[in-house]
Amino acid sequence: MPTTEEKDQPRRRQARGERRIAQLLEAAATVFTTTGYTAASTNAIAREAGVSPGTLYQFFPNKEAIAIELGDRLMHEMRETYGEALAPVDPTTPLEEAVGSAVDRFIAFNCEHPVFFALMHGPDIPGRITEEHDALHATLLSRIEDLLSSILPDTPPADLARTSHMCLGMYKAGLELVLAHEGAERDAYVQELKNALIRYLDPLVGARLGHPDPS
Amino acid sequence: MPTTEEKDQPRRRQARGERRIAQLLEAAATVFTTTGYTAASTNAIAREAGVSPGTLYQFFPNKEAIAIELGDRLMHEMRETYGEALAPVDPTTPLEEAVGSAVDRFIAFNCEHPVFFALMHGPDIPGRITEEHDALHATLLSRIEDLLSSILPDTPPADLARTSHMCLGMYKAGLELVLAHEGAERDAYVQELKNALIRYLDPLVGARLGHPDPS
Amino acid sequence: MPTTEEKDQPRRRQARGERRIAQLLEAAATVFTTTGYTAASTNAIAREAGVSPGTLYQFFPNKEAIAIELGDRLMHEMRETYGEALAPVDPTTPLEEAVGSAVDRFIAFNCEHPVFFALMHGPDIPGRITEEHDALHATLLSRIEDLLSSILPDTPPADLARTSHMCLGMYKAGLELVLAHEGAERDAYVQELKNALIRYLDPLVGARLGHPDPS
Amino acid sequence: MPTTEEKDQPRRRQARGERRIAQLLEAAATVFTTTGYTAASTNAIAREAGVSPGTLYQFFPNKEAIAIELGDRLMHEMRETYGEALAPVDPTTPLEEAVGSAVDRFIAFNCEHPVFFALMHGPDIPGRITEEHDALHATLLSRIEDLLSSILPDTPPADLARTSHMCLGMYKAGLELVLAHEGAERDAYVQELKNALIRYLDPLVGARLGHPDPS
DNA sequence: GATGAATGAGGATTCATTCAT
DNA sequence: TATGAATGAATCCTCATTCAT
């Protein structure tokens, strides 16, 4: 049957390319994690992937494109793994639980994908915002905004944005600390991060969300 | 009299050397701020300072040494300008005030010395902690620890360290946001940062420090 | 009947091949014109043709072969379009007319086929004469020689060759100027080119060719 | 005496640089001549000069800068060697003599400096005019314009420009032929070039310049 | 001290060409 | 045939660092 032929042939070819891309992204993840985004070289990535520099450029036009694709896949996997459910379905979930589970998932994801951290920090000149950094950032931000808007429904958008930015900043700062420690100490930092976020958000939540009326 | 000669010559040389060093550090500050630490090149620093690369290497053995010295001077100037008084003299100062003034001073210092931010972020690989990054970090950390230990006297050292780390992380995250905005929005972020820190620390403080008993 | 199969299959293949070749040559023409011969890349040609690099190499062993074939077809088309009639049928045609019409046709052909210019100039190292450049050159040269020998019948071959080379050189130089201008200015350059050629050749022609005796 | 010291020290340093620059330009001349401008690589130039690539880039920011400097020096030397005297001092000089001597000098200069040719042709896409090509071109053009305006005083500027362009084109075309031959054949081409130019210009000159009235 | 020339390995990227499918 | 992945040497250019002067 020519059907299988005609369908499988191209599929296999594409498959090889897909495999290479995956392999290159994996290598890039390793290199970015090891040396940081700025210091990472395309040659090093190619070497790590066991291919020639030319091969890398057959799939990516430059370093940033790699980072962008890597970021995209990361975000995609995040969504696959944890669903859109960073936002709690039930708005009566207590803040502790909402934040706690979000942080836990965030941390877990990061430990599985250490590149995430490297990509989020990028070349780190306050002004220069690179695309991939920005893409990751924006995606995370909007997810946080979603979550927050569900538990802070009456907040004006500008405040919501600011609060989201703050939460993301705290997340990132906390993550750095978490990753820098191990074992019990790491757990303690996870708890601190949760505390910081919960306490920061608590006054904004008001009496809704199952909190006893403070009066 | 040879005495004056022997004394003045070296003195003058040292003075010239000091000037050179200051000049180089200023140039380095500019370049680090503009391009970020990793991307900054020693040649660019020398050029910015108006000297030859060779001259730079007469005073600093390598790029990192420049960053370290720059960090040291920065910390020194911080102490000069604001004294040891990040720690409140009066332990009865309300938390709002203590945090508020510390944040204000921290932000002000950063706006005057934009390198600070660049140095604090450094090449940013969670594992690789470079010396100069570390020095700055450690200094800041110990100042924060001092401050916190004065308002949280009964806290065990390990908890204190963790809390200090968290505060520094939040500071840095907040600073990034503050620097990324201008005018009223910047002020709003300053306030958010204060809020976050105050709320994070508040439960740890207890009834001391002039807080009305919550009961 | 297997006859049709055996005949049609190859025929179809050849037909397909011819189409591919034409397609590739057209693409090559575009790329050579746009970027120049030296800077043109085989990958770019393949891309422009909408085929893979491998396909290109199935029909041409290398870049030069493409240029050679392109030049051949160009010369062939020139002959098709304008006949062998660069040489005037009637040797009594006045020089002005002969040169004028030859130049006009030459210019017209070039404007229709801008590659021509790119191919004629080639990598341009006085010594290194590449094959395709040479082929074009030689063909043009012999046509000019034909033309000239018809109007300068008694000239020794060495002189004829030299004169032909000069005419071709002037042609090329003039063409460059013509192509570099537009509208009235272009026309003016066309006229200048004609003038230059006519005046150059005029003394060689003598009283033959319908020129009034200068005495 | 410190005077000599203070003056000689910097002079010697600059001298080393100057020597390197001269050496690099010589190497560039060789490489440009051998491989053509487009195909010439900076690494090849450095290798030819016996220095590392980095050294080359200490003196020239890129390949074009080398070509520009080379062109400038070439033009400068042309002026040094032959003075401003491409333009005949005496306007009564017969055309034959004026053109003849100009061509002779032009050819002689080119034979001494074969790069000249390579630089004048450049990357050869009719549109793309590179700076160094242009600079050379413009300089030559203006010299020719000077010469022509002295022997064609009543010509409108637009015509003069066109005529100059034509002459330069013919020069270049002729030069190519001259360089492609040797011995007697070369001389014959030199004569042909002179003929072509003289005949092209003659009708424009009119009765001035010592020509017998044609009537 | 100061200069600036020199280095050479390494950066990103391209390209003619080959090869497995 | 056709594909497109693969190559690897070569491109231009940069940079931390050294060294003769």
Side-chain angles (χ1 to χ4, degrees), chain A residues 162-163 166 170 196 199-201 203-204, chain B residues 95-96 99-100 103 170 187-203:
Chain A
R162 232 177 284 122
T163 307
M166 279 299 298
M170 289 165 74
R199 291 174 199 161
Y200 172 59
L201 293 173
L204 307 174
Chain B
L95 183 62
E96 279 88 4
V99 167
V103 167
M170 290 165 74
D187 295 341
Y189 272 109
V190 172
Q191 190 53 51
E192 279 312 281
L193 173 55
K194 288 178 184 172
N195 290 343
L197 285 165
I198 291 166
R199 291 174 199 160
Y200 172 58
L201 292 173
D202 192 54

Side-chain angles (χ1 to χ4, degrees), chain B residues 66-149:
Chain B
I66 302 175
I68 292 172
E69 179 65 20
L70 197 50
D72 282 358
R73 301 219 170 180
L74 236 37
M75 298 289 17
H76 189 254
E77 186 175 336
M78 203 181 210
R79 230 168 276 125
E80 290 280 291
T81 313
Y82 302 109
E84 300 298 334
L86 224 162
V89 195
D90 183 356
T92 64
T93 316
L95 183 62
E96 279 88 4
E97 215 180 298
V99 167
S101 98
V103 167
D104 284 337
R105 279 185 270 158
F106 187 74
I107 302 275
F109 187 78
N110 249 279
C111 292
E112 271 182 72
H113 304 283
V115 222
F116 199 82
F117 187 85
L119 286 182
M120 261 185 353
H121 279 67
D124 260 312
I125 313 142
R128 305 267 169 280
I129 291 175
T130 58
E131 258 191 73
E132 95 288 350
H133 175 216
D134 207 29
L136 262 197
H137 213 90
T139 309
L140 279 178
L141 208 55
S142 75
R143 305 203 80 195
I144 292 175
E145 241 168 322
D146 287 351
L147 169 61
L148 290 184
S149 73

